Amino acid sequence: MGNADYVYPSTNEYRQCAHPVAVPPPQPFFKSFKNSLKETFFPDDPLRQFKNKTHSRKFFLGLQYFLPILEWGPRYTFQFLKSDLISGITIASLAIPQGISYAKLANLPPILGLYSSFIPPLIYAMMGSSRDLAVGTVAVASLLIGSMLGDEVNATENPALYLHLAFTATFFAGLLQASLGLLRLGFIVDFLSHATIVGFMGGAATVVILQQLKGILGLQHFTQSTDIISVLRSVFSQIHESKKRPKFFWISAMAPLTTVILGSLLVYLTHAEKHGVDVIGNLKKGLNPPSFGDFVFTSPYLTTAVKTGMITGIIALAEGIAVGRSFAMFKHYNIDGNKEMVAIGTMNIVGSCFSCYLTTGPFSRSAVNFNAGCKTAMSNVVMAIAVMFTLLFLTPLFHYTPLVVLSAIIISAMLGLIDYEAAIHLWKVDKFDFVVCMGAYIGVVFASVEVGLVIAVAISVLRLLLFVARPKTFVLGNLPNSTIYRSVEQYPTTNDVPGILILQIDAPIYFANSSYLRERISRWIDEEEDKLKSTGETSLQYVIFNMSAVGNIDTSGISMLEEVKKITDRRGLKLVLANPGAEVMKKLNKSKFIETIGKEWIYLTVGEAVEACNYKLHTCKPDATNEDSQPWNNV
Amino acid sequence: MGNADYVYPSTNEYRQCAHPVAVPPPQPFFKSFKNSLKETFFPDDPLRQFKNKTHSRKFFLGLQYFLPILEWGPRYTFQFLKSDLISGITIASLAIPQGISYAKLANLPPILGLYSSFIPPLIYAMMGSSRDLAVGTVAVASLLIGSMLGDEVNATENPALYLHLAFTATFFAGLLQASLGLLRLGFIVDFLSHATIVGFMGGAATVVILQQLKGILGLQHFTQSTDIISVLRSVFSQIHESKKRPKFFWISAMAPLTTVILGSLLVYLTHAEKHGVDVIGNLKKGLNPPSFGDFVFTSPYLTTAVKTGMITGIIALAEGIAVGRSFAMFKHYNIDGNKEMVAIGTMNIVGSCFSCYLTTGPFSRSAVNFNAGCKTAMSNVVMAIAVMFTLLFLTPLFHYTPLVVLSAIIISAMLGLIDYEAAIHLWKVDKFDFVVCMGAYIGVVFASVEVGLVIAVAISVLRLLLFVARPKTFVLGNLPNSTIYRSVEQYPTTNDVPGILILQIDAPIYFANSSYLRERISRWIDEEEDKLKSTGETSLQYVIFNMSAVGNIDTSGISMLEEVKKITDRRGLKLVLANPGAEVMKKLNKSKFIETIGKEWIYLTVGEAVEACNYKLHTCKPDATNEDSQPWNNV
C-alpha cells in the first residue's frame, strides 16, 4: 500500500472527492449464521406476532396458528352461514359424482371417493387457512396412484392388498406433507414451477382422457399403462368390439350430478346394465370404516407405498397450495404455505386411518366453491355433512349409475386442464419455460407421470445452474451527457470510453463459473485490443469490472479474480473494481485480495472509476509492473 | 397509458430530462438461440483462428489444434532438449517406484504401474497442451479402482478377471473424458470446486495412509474396506501380530528411488524376504502386452466397469486439468480445458488397449517436472524412454524391493495431500466452502470415496440453488450529498428517503424464489410501515425496486411482480422499477407487464426514480386506484 501511495499520488488526491467503498462492519459468525438460517426457513417471520405477549396469550396464539378456526370461528355470522350453505351444497353435488369417478380412476372401490369427501374436509375446515379451497380427491393424483401401485399389485386380482397399499401410500403422503410444513421446507414445492404444472396437468389430462376412452367406448381388456402408445394401441386393436359401444356416450356436456341422475334413471328404466353397459353396482351403506389396522409396513410393498406417497404427496401439495394462493390473491388475504402443508398433511394422515385416499384442494371444485359465494372453510363442513347423508341413506341410488357417465364427468373436467393458451403464452414470453412445459407434457404422455415430472424439474434446475454456470457478461458504455454506464447492447446510443474496457458480470462468481469467466474475460480483453489495434485508437489501459450484480463470491471465484489480476498485470493493464456489494467486499477483505488489487482501485460507481482512470490516463502512464514476473523462458 | 398521461402530466414533464429505459432491439429467435448455445459450449471461441484462412491452412490449423506437437515441435531447440532430458530422467526416477506402489494400491500387478508410465506419456506429449504436466498413475484414482472393483471381484481370488475389469474401466474412463472434451462439456469438471478437491484429496490421503499401515506394520488379513472404522478395527485387532513387524519401516523420509534401491539391497543382503518381509517378487521383462482383447463387456461386470470408469475418469480429469492450469498460470500460457480432456481421454483409451490403467497428470510428479526445469511435453517422452529401458532390462532389480518401502513412498506422497492450511483458509474466507470441504473429507474417511464426492458436490450445488432460492433483498438509502443509493447495512452513513422504500433484489427472479420474494417484499413493506407509524413520519407512498442485479426473470417471476403490483395497489402504494436489464425488459415487454405498471414508472437509475417520486410527492398525492378492486366482503 505504501508503494501504491508512492506510485500514484494523484489517484489518492483524486479519491478525496470520491466515495469510499465500505467493507460491512464485521458480524460474529453465529449471528450471521442465525440470520441466514432465519431467512432460509422463516422468511415470513411467523413468530412476529408472539413478541411481547403473556404466556397464556402466547399459548392461545399458538393454538390459533395451527387451528385458524379459533380465529375466524368467533366472528362467524349468520350471513356467512347462508353463503356457506349454498356453496357447500353446490360443491357436494360435484363432490359425489367426481369422488366416485376419480376412485375408479385409481382402481379403488367407488365408495372410497365418498369416504374421502367426508373426513378430510372436516379436518381442513379446522386447520386450513384458505377460505375458498374445497377439499377432495383429484384426477391426476388418482391416476398416479392407480399407475404406481398397479405396477406392484394387480387391483383386480388382489383388491384387498391394493386397497391397503393405497391407505399406506396416503398415510406416507400426509406424513411427508405435514413434515415439510413443520420443518419449514415448503420451498421444495416452489421447484414445481408454473410452467411445469401447466405441462404436467395437460399431459396427465391427455392420458386420463385417453384412458376414459375405455369407459366411453366400452372396451374390455384395456391397458393399465398410462403412455399414449399403449393406450392408442389398445383403442385401435379393440376397435372391432365397437358393437359393445354403449348408447349414451353423448351425455357429457351436462352438469355432473344431473348426468348421474339421468344416466342412472335411464339405465334403471331400460335395464341397459343387462345389455353391456357397466354400472357401479352395490355401494355399502354407512360411514367410513377405520383403516389404521390395514397399513402395510412389510417389504416389498413398503417401498412402493413410500414412493407412491412421496410423489403423489408432492403433486397434491403443489396443486392444493397453488389453488389456495390463487383464490387468496383474488380476495386479498394471505395463505401461509407452511401452515397449509401441515393442514393438508394432517387431513391425509387422519383420512388414511379412516378409509380415505389422497385428498387435496382440486382446482375445479374450489372454483365452483368460490363462484357459489363461499365465505369461509365452513362450506367444506356443509359438503361433508351432505356427503355423510349420502353415505348413510342414498348410496343405493347409485347402483344403476353407468360407468360411462363417470368417464364423461372425468373427461369434461380434464378438458379444462389442457391449458394450451398458457403454453402459447409461455412460448411468447419465455422459451425456456416453454421447453420445461413441453418436457413435462411429452414426458407424461409418452412415458409416464413420474418421468414427465423428473424431466420438467431437471430442466428447471438445469436452468438455475446454467444461469450461474454461464453468467452474462457485457460491455458498458457511457450514456451521452451523463455519468451513467449501461450495456452497449441494450442502449445502442452509448459511447465507448477510450482506453478503458468496462465489463459487467451478471451473476455471483462461484466455482461453477469461475473457469468460464476467466476465459470469457480474457476473450473480451483480446477482442477489445484487436478492435483498438484495427482502428488505431488509443491502446487499452484499464479494465473496470462493474460488480453491482455480483451477489456473492466463493473461494474459487476469488482465485479467478487473482488469476485475472495476473493476466491484466502481464498485459500492462490496470484492474479496477466498481461497486462490489457487502458480501463480496467482506470476502475480498478476508482473502486479502483488496490488498492485492490496491484499495485505491475499488470505486463506488462505474462513473467514479472511469473519472479516476481518465484523470490518471491524462497525467501519467499506468504502472505495468508484473508482481510475479520471473524470467521464464517461454517457448 | 392514455389514462396515466391524464393523471400525471407532471411525471411526463419530468421525464423529459430523465433517461428512458430501453427494451433491447428484438432479435430473431434462432439468432439469440445460436448465441446462447455458443456462449454455453464455445466460450473460448476455438474457431476464431480459422477465420479467413485457406482450406489447406484450415486443415493444418485443425491438425495443430488436436496435435499441439505440430505447433511447438518445429520450434524445438537443443537448449530445450537439455532441460527436458534432465527433468525427464528426474521424473522417471519418481515414476518407477510410484508406479509400482500405486498399482499395489489398486490391487493390480506392480508391473502395470511401469506399463502405465510408458504408453500414455507418449500420447500426451503429442496431444497435450500443457508443458509441465508429467503423466502417470495417481494414488486416489488407484485407491478408487481398488475399492470399487474390489466390491465386485476379489483381486486375489480371480486376478485375471479383476485385471480385465481394470482395463475395461480405464477404457470407459478415457471414452468419457474424450467425449466430454469433444462435446464441449468440460464445465462438468467445474462442479468439482476447489473446496471439494481439497477435502476429497485430504480424505483420500488419510484413507490411503491408514491402509498403508498394513504394509508398514506388516499386518495380514487387512480389510479391503476404505472407511476409517474398519481400517482402525483391523489395525487394533491385529496388533498381536506385531512380532511380524518388519525392521525397516523407518526408511520413509528419503527420496523414493534411493529408498527403493537401499531397501532392495538390504533385503537382498540380509535375505529378509525369508523372515516375514514381503517383497515385490518377479516382474516380467518386456514392453506392454496388448490388452484390447481382454475388455469385459458382459453383465454383471459391465455395469461395475462403466461406473468405476465414470467416477475415476471424472476425478482423474479434475486433477489433471487443475494441475495443468496451475502450472500454466505460473508460466503465463493458456490451457484449453476441452483440448486437455481429449488428450487425457485419448491417452487412457490407447493405454487401456496396451495393459495400462488409469493415468492423468499427478500433482507431485508434475511439480518435480516443473522444478527440474522442463520446457515442453518432451520431458514425458524422455520419461517414457527411461521407463522403456527399465521394462526391457531392469525389472529383475525390483525382485527384492520390500513392499514396506512402497508403503513408505505412498505415505510420504500422501502426507503432502492433506492440506490443512487450505482448509483453515477456507474457514476464514468462506464458511460454506469449508462445509463443502469437510463434507468431502468426512464422507471419504468415514463412508467411502464415492459418498464423500456425492456429499461435496451435493452441498456445492445446493449452495447455487440456495443463492437463487433465497436471494438477498435489502433496503437502499441515499449517500449524503450525492444521487447514489446503496445498501444501508453496508453503508451506515446513508439516509432514508421520506415516503419512499427502495429495495434491491440480488438474484434473478425465477420460479424457485418467486414465492419467497413475494413474502419477503410484503414483510419489508409491513416493517417499513410499522416503523413509519411508530415514529409518526410521512406515510409510505412509493416502493422502488432496484433491478440492477436481477439478471433474468421467468414467467413465474413475472406473475410474482404482477401479484406484488396488486398488493401495492391495494395499500395505495406506487410500484416503481429502476434499471431493469436487457433480458428483464424484453420479458416484461412481451408479457405486457410494462403496460400494467406504466412505462412512466420505470427509470434508468434509482436516483432518477427517487427524484421523480419526490417531484410527485410534493405536487400531488399518488394515485391509489385499485385496478382490480371488487366489492369482496372480506371476513
Side-chain angles (χ1 to χ4, degrees):
Chain A
M1 297 289 274
N3 176 43
D5 283 349
Y6 173 75
V7 183
Y8 314 111
S10 48
T11 311
N12 280 335
E13 264 167 49
Y14 169 78
R15 282 188 69 86
Q16 305 286 319
C17 52
H19 300 89
V21 176
V23 178
Q27 277 199 324
F29 169 61
F30 284 102
K31 196 180 156 203
S32 65
F33 184 66
K34 204 184 117 197
N35 272 346
S36 52
L37 273 192
K38 198 189 146 206
E39 277 303 322
T40 308
F41 295 105
F42 300 92
D44 52 346
D45 200 7
L47 302 176
R48 201 169 157 221
Q49 51 170 333
F50 293 100
K51 261 180 207 154
N52 311 320
K53 296 281 157 62
T54 62
H55 280 293
S56 60
R57 181 83 194 131
K58 268 185 191 165
F59 176 76
F60 183 69
L61 282 173
L63 215 60
Q64 263 193 355
Y65 180 81
F66 284 106
L67 296 173
I69 198 173
L70 295 178
E71 195 204 329
W72 57 265
R75 290 184 282 125
Y76 199 72
T77 64
F78 184 68
Q79 282 295 326
F80 288 168
L81 183 62
K82 252 179 20 190
S83 306
D84 285 341
L85 254 179
I86 294 170
S87 51
I89 291 172
T90 313
I91 51 175
S93 81
L94 189 67
I96 294 163
Q98 267 193 354
I100 296 175
S101 312
Y102 294 162
K104 290 294 291 179
L105 204 55
N107 289 325
L108 289 167
I111 191 81
L112 247 74
L114 297 184
Y115 291 159
S116 302
S117 291
F118 172 47
I119 302 255
L122 294 177
I123 309 280
Y124 186 81
M126 290 188 288
M127 300 184 68
S129 54
S130 167
R131 300 174 198 155
D132 303 284
L133 206 75
V135 168
T137 54
V138 283
V140 174
S142 302
L143 176 74
L144 254 176
I145 289 177
S147 118
M148 291 183 74
L149 293 186
D151 285 347
E152 186 70 33
V153 176
N154 190 307
T156 43
E157 283 170 14
N158 201 343
L161 177 61
Y162 184 85
L163 182 67
H164 298 169
L165 269 183
F167 294 146
T168 318
T170 305
F171 174 74
F172 282 114
L175 206 62
L176 172 77
Q177 294 168 334
S179 319
L180 285 181
L182 288 173
L183 297 174
R184 320 273 321 165
L185 292 172
F187 61 83
I188 288 175
V189 172
D190 294 342
F191 278 80
L192 297 176
S193 66
H194 176 64
T196 305
I197 304 252
V198 168
F200 179 77
M201 290 291 175
T206 307
V207 170
V208 170
I209 290 173
L210 285 170
Q211 276 208 333
Q212 292 313 306
L213 291 175
K214 173 191 182 183
I216 295 284
L217 301 177
L219 302 179
Q220 302 294 326
H221 320 299
F222 203 78
T223 174
Q224 288 290 334
S225 308
T226 58
D227 66 290
I228 200 169
I229 295 165
S230 10
V231 168
L232 286 179
R233 196 188 302 129
S234 288
V235 171
F236 287 112
S237 64
Q238 299 195 15
I239 212 78
H240 60 275
E241 291 186 39
S242 55
K243 60 187 182 288
K244 277 192 192 173
R245 182 190 271 193
K247 291 140 203 156
F248 310 110
F249 70 89
W250 45 266
I251 314 174
S252 71
M254 295 170 67
L257 198 61
T258 326
T259 322
V260 167
I261 293 172
L262 285 183
S264 310
L265 265 179
L266 271 170
V267 171
Y268 179 75
L269 295 175
T270 61
H271 287 288
E273 83 273 14
K274 291 178 186 156
H275 301 91
V277 173
D278 287 326
V279 294
I280 290 181
N282 269 331
L283 287 185
K284 213 172 56 180
K285 256 192 198 177
L287 296 182
N288 303 22
S291 61
F292 41 80
D294 297 337
F295 291 152
V296 185
F297 289 141
T298 52
S299 131
Y301 304 116
L302 184 62
T303 331
T304 313
V306 171
K307 202 180 134 206
T308 310
M310 294 282 163
I311 294 188
T312 54
I314 289 275
I315 303 274
L317 205 54
E319 179 165 3
I321 288 181
V323 167
R325 259 191 198 140
S326 315
F327 289 110
M329 192 56 60
F330 272 118
K331 287 202 189 169
H332 309 316
Y333 63 88
N334 275 324
I335 289 282
D336 178 335
N338 288 303
K339 203 194 280 185
E340 279 294 284
M341 288 182 196
V342 176
I344 293 179
T346 311
M347 86 187 184
N348 277 319
I349 293 175
V350 176
S352 70
C353 297
F354 293 96
S355 302
C356 304
Y357 78 102
L358 194 68
T359 50
T360 180
F363 181 76
S364 54
R365 204 179 294 185
S366 304
V368 169
N369 195 22
F370 177 85
N371 287 324
C374 69
K375 290 283 172 274
T376 66
M378 192 56 84
S379 63
N380 275 306
V381 177
V382 174
M383 172 179 77
I385 293 172
V387 170
M388 185 183 78
F389 267 97
T390 310
L391 279 171
L392 287 177
F393 309 113
L394 309 178
T395 45
L397 298 184
F398 294 104
H399 182 94
Y400 289 102
T401 307
L403 293 187
V404 60
V405 163
L406 302 185
S407 296
I409 291 172
I410 293 176
I411 289 182
S412 70
M414 289 302 101
L415 282 174
L417 288 183
I418 304 181
D419 193 354
Y420 60 92
E421 282 173 0
I424 293 171
H425 179 76
L426 291 178
W427 168 258
K428 274 192 198 147
V429 175
D430 193 323
K431 304 281 183 289
F432 215 114
D433 271 353
F434 179 77
V435 171
V436 169
C437 172
M438 290 319 291
Y441 184 86
I442 291 171
V444 170
V445 171
F446 289 95
S448 74
V449 175
E450 303 98 295
V451 168
L453 205 65
V454 167
I455 290 177
V457 172
I459 301 178
S460 306
V461 169
L462 189 70
R463 175 190 205 168
L464 298 189
L465 294 181
L466 262 184
F467 176 86
V468 180
R470 288 289 181 269
K472 283 258 163 66
T473 51
F474 41 79
V475 172
L476 304 188
N478 187 11
L479 275 189
N481 307 318
S482 76
T483 56
I484 301 172
Y485 292 80
R486 289 290 181 269
S487 157
V488 294
E489 270 178 46
Q490 192 182 0
Y491 297 90
T493 57
T494 50
N495 300 320
D496 289 355
V497 190
I500 305 176
L501 173 65
I502 312 167
L503 287 178
Q504 171 154 338
I505 300 163
D506 234 9
I509 306 180
Y510 277 153
F511 61 93
N513 61 23
S514 50
S515 299
Y516 165 77
L517 278 176
R518 194 189 40 236
E519 307 236 324
R520 194 65 188 85
I521 290 168
S522 304
R523 207 173 106 210
W524 276 122
I525 297 176
D526 285 345
E527 287 174 355
E528 182 72 12
E529 289 197 326
D530 286 0
K531 204 182 87 186
L532 290 180
K533 224 173 269 171
S534 68
T535 58
E537 282 180 68
T538 14
S539 65
L540 192 59
Q541 305 273 14
Y542 296 95
V543 179
I544 301 177
F545 287 167
N546 181 12
M547 309 282 280
S548 304
V550 179
N552 209 335
I553 194 167
D554 68 356
T555 51
S556 305
I558 294 171
S559 305
M560 187 279 285
L561 283 184
E562 281 165 351
E563 288 169 16
V564 168
K565 176 82 174 72
K566 280 185 194 163
I567 293 172
T568 50
D569 278 350
R570 210 183 320 142
R571 292 175 173 229
L573 304 173
K574 252 296 159 206
L575 187 63
V576 184
L577 299 188
N579 192 23
E583 276 298 314
V584 175
M585 274 308 272
K586 210 160 73 187
K587 294 202 181 138
L588 294 187
N589 186 38
K590 280 183 189 157
S591 64
K592 315 263 185 241
F593 183 72
I594 293 187
E595 291 164 31
T596 309
I597 194 174
K599 206 181 165 117
E600 65 280 11
W601 293 107
I602 301 178
Y603 289 90
L604 185 65
T605 66
V606 176
E608 288 182 1
V610 170
E611 215 173 314
C613 294
N614 270 334
Y615 184 88
K616 282 281 311 147
L617 212 52
H618 299 126
T619 43
C620 57
K621 283 276 156 198
D623 167 84
T625 313
N626 289 358
E627 279 159 30
D628 58 344
S629 67
Q630 292 177 37
W632 301 118
N633 299 326
N634 289 336
V635 175
Chain B
M1 297 289 271
N3 177 43
D5 282 350
Y6 174 74
V7 182
Y8 315 109
S10 47
T11 311
N12 279 336
E13 264 166 48
Y14 169 79
R15 283 190 69 87
Q16 304 287 316
C17 52
H19 301 89
V21 176
V23 178
Q27 278 198 325
F29 169 62
F30 284 103
K31 194 180 158 204
S32 64
F33 183 68
K34 203 184 118 198
N35 272 346
S36 52
L37 273 192
K38 196 188 150 207
E39 277 304 323
T40 307
F41 295 105
F42 300 93
D44 51 345
D45 200 7
L47 302 178
R48 200 168 154 222
Q49 51 171 333
F50 293 100
K51 262 180 209 155
N52 312 320
K53 296 278 157 62
T54 62
H55 279 291
S56 60
R57 182 83 194 131
K58 268 185 192 168
F59 176 77
F60 184 69
L61 282 174
L63 215 60
Q64 263 193 357
Y65 181 83
F66 284 105
L67 297 173
I69 198 171
L70 295 180
E71 192 204 333
W72 58 264
R75 291 182 283 124
Y76 200 72
T77 64
F78 185 68
Q79 283 297 326
F80 288 166
L81 183 62
K82 252 182 11 192
S83 306
D84 286 340
L85 254 179
I86 295 171
S87 52
I89 290 170
T90 313
I91 52 174
S93 82
L94 189 68
I96 295 162
Q98 268 193 355
I100 296 173
S101 312
Y102 293 163
K104 290 294 290 179
L105 205 55
N107 291 324
L108 289 167
I111 192 81
L112 247 74
L114 297 183
Y115 292 158
S116 302
S117 290
F118 171 48
I119 302 257
L122 294 177
I123 309 281
Y124 185 82
M126 290 188 289
M127 298 184 68
S129 55
S130 167
R131 301 174 198 153
D132 303 282
L133 205 75
V135 169
T137 54
V138 282
V140 174
S142 303
L143 176 74
L144 254 176
I145 289 175
S147 120
M148 291 183 75
L149 292 186
D151 284 349
E152 186 70 34
V153 177
N154 190 308
T156 43
E157 282 170 15
N158 201 344
L161 177 60
Y162 184 85
L163 182 67
H164 298 170
L165 269 184
F167 294 145
T168 318
T170 304
F171 174 75
F172 282 114
L175 206 62
L176 172 77
Q177 293 169 333
S179 320
L180 284 182
L182 288 174
L183 297 175
R184 320 272 324 164
L185 292 173
F187 62 85
I188 287 175
V189 172
D190 294 342
F191 278 79
L192 298 176
S193 66
H194 176 64
T196 305
I197 304 251
V198 167
F200 179 78
M201 289 291 175
T206 307
V207 170
V208 171
I209 290 174
L210 284 170
Q211 277 208 332
Q212 291 313 306
L213 290 175
K214 170 189 182 182
I216 296 284
L217 300 177
L219 302 177
Q220 302 294 325
H221 319 300
F222 203 77
T223 174
Q224 287 290 335
S225 308
T226 59
D227 66 291
I228 200 170
I229 294 167
S230 12
V231 169
L232 286 179
R233 197 190 300 129
S234 290
V235 171
F236 287 113
S237 65
Q238 300 195 13
I239 211 75
H240 60 275
E241 291 187 40
S242 56
K243 61 188 180 287
K244 277 192 189 172
R245 181 190 270 192
K247 290 139 204 160
F248 309 111
F249 71 89
W250 44 267
I251 315 174
S252 69
M254 295 171 65
L257 198 61
T258 327
T259 324
V260 167
I261 293 171
L262 285 183
S264 311
L265 264 179
L266 271 170
V267 171
Y268 180 73
L269 296 174
T270 61
H271 287 289
E273 84 273 15
K274 290 177 189 158
H275 301 89
V277 172
D278 288 327
V279 294
I280 289 182
N282 271 331
L283 285 186
K284 214 173 57 182
K285 258 191 195 178
L287 296 182
N288 303 19
S291 62
F292 41 79
D294 297 338
F295 291 152
V296 184
F297 290 141
T298 52
S299 130
Y301 304 117
L302 184 62
T303 330
T304 313
V306 170
K307 203 180 134 204
T308 310
M310 295 281 163
I311 294 187
T312 56
I314 289 274
I315 304 273
L317 204 55
E319 180 166 0
I321 288 180
V323 167
R325 261 194 196 136
S326 313
F327 289 110
M329 192 56 59
F330 271 119
K331 287 202 186 169
H332 308 316
Y333 62 90
N334 275 325
I335 289 282
D336 178 335
N338 289 305
K339 203 194 280 185
E340 278 295 283
M341 289 183 195
V342 176
I344 293 179
T346 312
M347 87 187 181
N348 278 318
I349 293 175
V350 176
S352 69
C353 298
F354 293 95
S355 301
C356 304
Y357 79 101
L358 194 68
T359 50
T360 180
F363 180 77
S364 55
R365 202 179 295 184
S366 304
V368 169
N369 195 23
F370 176 85
N371 287 323
C374 68
K375 291 282 172 274
T376 66
M378 192 55 85
S379 63
N380 275 306
V381 177
V382 175
M383 171 179 79
I385 293 170
V387 170
M388 185 184 77
F389 267 96
T390 312
L391 278 171
L392 287 177
F393 309 112
L394 309 176
T395 47
L397 298 183
F398 293 103
H399 182 95
Y400 289 100
T401 308
L403 293 187
V404 60
V405 163
L406 302 185
S407 296
I409 290 171
I410 292 176
I411 289 183
S412 68
M414 289 300 103
L415 283 175
L417 288 185
I418 304 181
D419 193 352
Y420 60 92
E421 282 173 1
I424 294 172
H425 178 77
L426 291 178
W427 168 258
K428 274 193 199 146
V429 175
D430 193 323
K431 304 281 183 288
F432 215 113
D433 270 354
F434 179 77
V435 170
V436 169
C437 172
M438 290 318 290
Y441 184 86
I442 290 171
V444 170
V445 171
F446 289 96
S448 75
V449 176
E450 303 98 296
V451 169
L453 204 66
V454 167
I455 289 177
V457 172
I459 301 178
S460 305
V461 169
L462 189 69
R463 174 187 208 169
L464 298 190
L465 294 181
L466 263 183
F467 176 85
V468 179
R470 286 291 180 269
K472 285 257 164 66
T473 51
F474 41 79
V475 172
L476 304 187
N478 187 11
L479 275 188
N481 308 319
S482 76
T483 55
I484 301 173
Y485 292 80
R486 289 289 180 270
S487 157
V488 295
E489 272 179 45
Q490 192 182 1
Y491 297 90
T493 57
T494 49
N495 300 320
D496 290 354
V497 190
I500 304 176
L501 173 65
I502 311 166
L503 287 178
Q504 170 154 342
I505 300 163
D506 234 7
I509 306 180
Y510 277 155
F511 61 94
N513 61 23
S514 51
S515 300
Y516 165 78
L517 279 176
R518 193 188 42 233
E519 308 237 324
R520 194 66 188 83
I521 290 169
S522 304
R523 207 173 107 210
W524 277 121
I525 298 176
D526 285 346
E527 286 174 356
E528 183 73 10
E529 289 197 326
D530 285 0
K531 203 182 86 185
L532 291 180
K533 224 173 269 171
S534 68
T535 57
E537 283 180 66
T538 14
S539 66
L540 192 59
Q541 305 273 14
Y542 296 95
V543 179
I544 301 177
F545 287 166
N546 181 12
M547 309 282 281
S548 304
V550 179
N552 208 335
I553 194 167
D554 69 354
T555 50
S556 306
I558 294 171
S559 304
M560 187 280 285
L561 283 184
E562 282 165 351
E563 289 169 17
V564 168
K565 176 81 173 70
K566 280 184 195 165
I567 293 172
T568 51
D569 279 349
R570 211 182 319 141
R571 293 174 174 229
L573 304 171
K574 252 296 160 206
L575 187 64
V576 184
L577 299 187
N579 192 24
E583 275 299 313
V584 174
M585 275 308 271
K586 209 160 72 186
K587 292 198 184 141
L588 293 187
N589 185 38
K590 280 183 192 159
S591 64
K592 315 268 184 231
F593 183 72
I594 293 187
E595 290 165 30
T596 309
I597 194 173
K599 206 179 167 124
E600 66 280 10
W601 293 107
I602 301 178
Y603 290 91
L604 186 65
T605 67
V606 176
E608 288 181 1
V610 171
E611 216 173 315
C613 293
N614 270 335
Y615 185 85
K616 281 283 310 150
L617 211 52
H618 298 128
T619 43
C620 56
K621 283 276 155 196
D623 167 82
T625 313
N626 289 359
E627 280 161 28
D628 58 342
S629 69
Q630 292 176 36
W632 302 118
N633 299 327
N634 290 336
V635 173

